[in-house]
Amino acid sequence: MMKAKKQATIEGPSVLDVVALLVDVPSEGLSHGQVGTIVEHLDDKTLLVEFSDDTGQAYAIAPCPRTELLVLHYVPEAA
């Protein structure tokens, strides 16, 4: 059985979406390109993102502006 395709929304990224940083966040020890998971919507412009290592241990949890994140997709989607 195939999984249903996740519908893109105008609201933007969702909780548990995987994202990449588009900028460095030196205060959190993070650099652009690092990958994390959205864990909470803080407000209309800010998301709380957890960054974890390969074992699942979180090394940073940081508030990030939506404009500084790129949602990653693991299955082909139409543009």
Side-chain angles (χ1 to χ4, degrees):
M1 177 181 234
M2 294 181 61
K3 291 184 178 182
K5 180 179 173 185
K6 182 178 176 181
Q7 293 292 329
T9 62
I10 294 172
E11 294 85 28
S14 301
V15 171
L16 300 182
D17 277 352
V18 177
V19 295
L21 281 175
L22 297 173
V23 298
D24 294 336
V25 185
S27 63
E28 298 290 338
L30 300 168
S31 59
H32 70 281
Q34 285 190 272
V35 175
T37 303
I38 297 171
V39 294
E40 187 175 341
H41 288 265
L42 297 178
D43 59 39
D44 291 341
K45 297 181 181 181
T46 311
L47 303 167
L48 191 63
V49 181
E50 179 180 280
F51 298 88
S52 304
D53 62 21
D54 290 340
T55 66
Q57 180 69 37
Y59 57 84
I61 299 175
C64 299
R66 287 177 186 239
T67 57
E68 296 179 359
L69 298 171
L70 173 68
V71 177
L72 302 178
H73 302 278
Y74 293 98
V75 294
E77 290 187 11

